[in-house]
Amino acid sequence: MRALRFVFAMGCLSPLVACIGGSDDGGTSSTGGSTVTCEEYCDRVTSACVGELKQYDNRQACLDLCTFMPQGDPGAVSGHSRTCRNQQAVEAGEQPEQFCEAAGPLGGNTCGTPCEVYCQLVMSVCIGNNAVYGNEAECAAACANFPNDVPYSSSVTMGDSLACRMYHLNVAAASANNAAVHCPHTGPVDLSDPGLPCNPQTGGTGSTGGTGSTAGTGTTGGTGSTAGTGATGAGTAGSGG
């Protein structure tokens, strides 16, 4: 009865999976001290990290993914957990450039290693018919080949990078329908489907070269200017006066 009163006292504002058998959204941890709610964390990170440093599309997107994050020990400042990200979000309130990435989904190599974070979340969000990997070892092997040179923000929605895959994983966490659409975007490169947003992007306009200048006309019987360089080749000599 005490546990039941506690659940109703805190309120179950997150999806049901977070209230039964998932991550705990409030109360006290087994190690003592207050835990961090998803609401508290998401309020902090979405307030502190904006513009180019924005980590979630909006507060709801943060809440969607937060329910799949491990709670973590109270006061944790490292390791893949909600608590660690909340601590980084507190710091981001004063120094967003330094702390926002660590406060975000991918953890900035502070709140977990990139592949640890990605694999725990993708194996939790993309399940059943939406599963991308058969097991965590398969995920880890694939993740080791993902480029990880793009700093994470919610604006990274295309291109072959771990950041792109994490963005689509965040979107997939919103609902089963979203998972059906976006979980395939979180996996390895699939050249048989060039439309996947996290495939290597091709195209773009390259330089095609300018047009060479043609010769001017001579003024007093001298020779005109010779060809300009460029695609059209040599110009003609000018006529004498």
Side-chain angles (χ1 to χ4, degrees):
M1 288 299 294
R2 181 182 178 185
L4 184 61
R5 286 196 300 271
F6 171 74
V7 169
F8 280 102
M10 292 303 298
C12 185
L13 301 179
S14 297
L16 183 60
V17 66
C19 300
I20 51 174
S23 54
D24 184 8
D25 276 309
T28 57
S29 73
S30 58
T31 57
S34 298
T35 59
V36 176
T37 67
C38 282
E39 288 76 13
E40 179 183 0
Y41 161 62
C42 290
D43 283 344
R44 283 200 172 106
V45 71
T46 55
S47 295
C49 303
V50 297
E52 293 182 354
L53 299 174
K54 192 175 184 179
Q55 298 296 299
Y56 298 94
D57 279 340
N58 49 55
R59 183 176 183 272
Q60 185 59 51
C62 176
L63 292 171
D64 292 337
L65 192 62
C66 177
T67 62
F68 294 97
M69 294 177 181
Q71 168 66 49
D73 293 332
V77 294
S78 63
H80 172 40
S81 71
R82 178 196 313 165
T83 304
C84 177
R85 288 171 175 79
N86 182 67
Q87 294 292 328
Q88 305 305 316
V90 171
E91 299 294 338
E94 297 294 330
Q95 301 179 72
E97 293 84 2
Q98 182 175 349
F99 290 97
C100 276
E101 191 176 354
L106 204 49
N109 218 15
T110 296
C111 295
T113 62
C115 285
E116 173 195 8
V117 172
Y118 165 77
C119 286
Q120 185 273 319
L121 291 173
V122 78
M123 295 294 293
S124 299
V125 174
C126 298
I127 59 176
N129 291 335
N130 299 320
V132 180
Y133 304 102
N135 52 58
E136 290 192 13
E138 183 182 333
C139 177
C143 183
N145 294 316
F146 296 154
N148 190 28
D149 55 350
V150 178
Y152 182 84
S153 78
S154 62
S155 65
V156 183
T157 63
M158 299 187 71
D160 183 15
S161 69
L162 183 55
C164 175
R165 290 167 172 84
M166 179 56 69
Y167 171 79
H168 289 279
L169 181 54
N170 191 171
V171 179
S175 68
N177 287 339
N178 278 28
V181 174
H182 288 271
C183 281
H185 302 169
T186 70
V189 168
D190 181 0
L191 297 180
S192 68
D193 186 354
L196 291 179
C198 299
N199 273 356
Q201 299 300 301
T202 58
T205 56
S207 174
T208 56
T211 303
S213 62
T214 56
T217 302
T219 56
T220 58
T223 58
S225 62
T226 57
T229 60
T232 58
T236 56
S239 58

